[in-house]
Amino acid sequence: MTSAVASDFSPHNRQPLPAVLDPARMPAHVALIMDGNGRWARQRGLPRVMGHREGVEALKRTLRLCSDWGIGALTAYAFSTENWSRPGEEVSFLMTLFERVLARELASLEREQVKIRFLGDLTPLPAALQQRIAEATERTAANRGIHFNVCTNYGGRSELVAAARRLAEEVAAGRLLPEQIDEQRIASQLHTAGDVDPDLLIRTSGERRLSNFLLWQLAYAELHITDVLWPDFDQDALLTALVDYQSRQRRFGGVDSPRHPGLTSATLG
Ligand code: FPP
């Protein structure tokens, strides 16, 4: 495995879409809960943090493949609001890791047209990391390739609380009527504003929880849970998730699929 996205992303290295996948039915947005780094390390007799380091390689692989295969957005859960309760050493390792990876990979992300954003309350993050994040966000803002959202100090409930507060302030100031608050207006206040909702959520290491991730945005997502530990997540694992996704009949609560108008209530039976 190379350590830089640059070589992974070079155009001659692009992975063609496997024939087993239908290009017309690819998810527009994939969400990721990258779980199992600690267990991966423990299985090898390594410190937990080595699992996180290897997890970065898995994330780079996945981002590259999603970009190559025409997926428009990838949103990964890197650090939750609850993760601060981990041992101090692990938290500082993760903060330093994020900062170093950003510094190392920014030029290649820029070159490869990846548009990176960090979603969450970034204010408690170390100043040096905040600075890297601001730089990466700014330098990739006009990029036209895959949207890569890294959820950092992110929590689905606190995101909704913040959105509710902002809307309440608008109402209190007389700029908004309560009846003007609809789903679109709430979505516009979330960190993910501007991206379509995820079509597919992949969670590794066999856990079957949402863990406070994208609570609003995942309302109609298809869920793919795999026993693969995150650092082992590779092309085969992603392909399996996408084949599973394409095998589902999406109904969005009704009988027809708005994303796939060819699928009618008649064909669904
Ligand atoms: C969960 O595994 C993983 C995390 C909390 C960290 C995920 C972060 C990365 C993969 C690095 C991302 C890097 C960048 C630059 C965004 P766990 O520790 O909960 O594993 P366990 O459940 O086996 O203990």
Side-chain angles (χ1 to χ4, degrees):
M1 189 68 218
T2 53
S3 64
V5 171
S7 50
D8 291 342
F9 267 112
S10 57
H12 57 269
N13 231 357
R14 283 190 180 275
Q15 296 293 318
L17 189 70
V20 69
L21 290 174
D22 175 354
R25 299 188 62 222
M26 293 295 283
H29 186 170
V30 172
L32 266 183
I33 300 182
M34 308 176 287
D35 203 6
N37 293 350
R39 274 161 285 174
W40 181 93
R42 196 171 58 235
Q43 283 175 4
R44 288 160 179 77
L46 297 169
R48 286 177 56 77
V49 294
M50 297 306 282
H52 297 318
R53 222 167 72 170
E54 202 57 33
V56 172
E57 300 306 316
L59 186 55
K60 281 159 49 180
R61 274 199 296 277
T62 306
L63 175 63
R64 180 203 71 187
L65 285 167
C66 287
S67 170
D68 287 356
W69 291 353
I71 290 165
L74 179 69
T75 299
Y77 207 2
F79 194 86
S80 74
T81 45
E82 291 73 30
N83 285 156
W84 294 107
S85 64
R86 292 188 175 215
E89 275 175 17
E90 184 175 344
V91 170
S92 30
F93 180 93
L94 280 168
M95 295 298 146
T96 308
L97 181 72
F98 295 168
E99 192 198 324
R100 291 204 180 139
V101 170
L102 261 187
R104 202 173 65 206
E105 308 296 348
L106 180 56
S108 46
L109 293 172
E110 259 187 297
R111 194 167 52 244
E112 295 305 323
Q113 291 297 312
V114 175
K115 177 175 174 160
I116 192 167
R117 286 194 302 161
F118 284 77
L119 313 187
D121 175 9
L122 307 181
T123 52
L125 303 179
L129 175 56
Q130 288 191 47
Q131 214 172 337
R132 290 272 180 222
I133 289 175
E135 184 190 8
T137 308
E138 194 185 310
R139 276 173 48 181
T140 65
N143 281 357
R144 303 180 67 86
I146 190 167
H147 291 193
F148 178 36
N149 302 322
V150 183
C151 292
T152 311
N153 192 29
Y154 174 88
R157 285 189 172 182
S158 59
E159 178 183 41
L160 287 166
V161 168
R165 275 202 195 134
R166 275 193 298 273
L167 291 173
E169 281 162 11
E170 291 293 294
V171 171
R175 291 190 291 266
L176 186 68
L177 294 168
E179 54 269 31
Q180 288 176 305
I181 299 176
D182 56 12
E183 292 190 7
Q184 254 182 325
R185 185 133 354 216
I186 292 175
S188 75
Q189 295 299 319
L190 304 179
H191 295 298
T192 45
D195 280 328
V196 294
D197 286 341
D199 304 290
L200 169 65
L201 169 71
I202 301 173
R203 181 164 191 158
T204 56
S205 93
E207 307 293 350
R208 292 158 198 273
R209 292 186 288 276
L210 280 186
S211 300
N212 203 14
F213 188 44
L214 302 176
L215 296 179
W216 173 278
Q217 298 89 334
L218 290 172
Y220 291 103
E222 298 294 329
L223 310 184
H224 176 83
I225 312 283
T226 170
D227 286 335
V228 172
L229 302 178
W230 175 249
D232 289 329
F233 195 84
D234 58 7
Q235 178 161 341
D236 277 354
L238 180 63
L239 184 57
T240 302
L242 292 169
V243 167
D244 183 26
Y245 170 78
Q246 292 197 341
S247 75
R248 312 276 179 94
Q249 291 184 338
R250 304 191 72 199
R251 299 183 191 213
F252 298 91
V255 287
D256 295 333
S257 166
R259 281 271 170 81
H260 307 299
L263 197 64
T264 65
S265 48
T267 54
L268 288 172

